[in-house]
Amino acid sequence: MSRYPVPGPEELAGLSDEELERLAVEWRTQALRGVKQAYGVAHALEVELRQRIRASQARQLPPRTDAPRRRWRFWQADVAGDSTTSP
């Protein structure tokens, strides 16, 4: 069993963005120094941090205002180029 338990979603949700970033840096530093048990914790913290960043960036995007695109209905197109039908 690992010495450092990987934090669960409810534990991560209770952290502020700044605290989460600080912990992620600290745990990644320990992992890079060779502490094998720190890899899982660092990964979990970094994943949560990336998800929060993506969500906050998505909220900053302006809403789409362009009209829906018209689609070409190839099954209704006239292949011969004229609208007359031949018997």
Side-chain angles (χ1 to χ4, degrees):
M1 195 74 191
S2 70
R3 197 169 118 201
Y4 305 108
V6 176
E10 52 280 338
E11 292 173 310
L12 295 174
L15 297 173
S16 68
D17 291 345
E18 294 80 21
E19 181 72 9
L20 182 64
E21 185 175 4
R22 186 186 65 77
L23 288 172
V25 169
E26 286 179 14
W27 282 99
R28 180 53 61 192
T29 303
Q30 287 184 16
L32 291 173
R33 289 185 182 146
V35 180
K36 291 183 181 180
Q37 295 85 0
Y39 284 104
V41 177
H43 179 71
L45 294 168
E46 290 167 348
V47 166
E48 177 68 21
L49 186 60
R50 283 193 300 269
Q51 288 175 347
R52 289 187 187 185
I53 289 171
R54 274 190 222 116
S56 67
Q57 288 175 344
R59 283 192 297 270
Q60 293 173 0
L61 291 174
R64 292 188 66 177
T65 58
D66 53 333
R69 293 175 47 187
R70 297 187 66 189
R71 300 192 185 202
W72 177 53
R73 298 181 185 166
F74 64 89
W75 59 90
Q76 293 179 348
D78 187 13
V79 178
D82 59 354
S83 61
T84 61
T85 57
S86 57

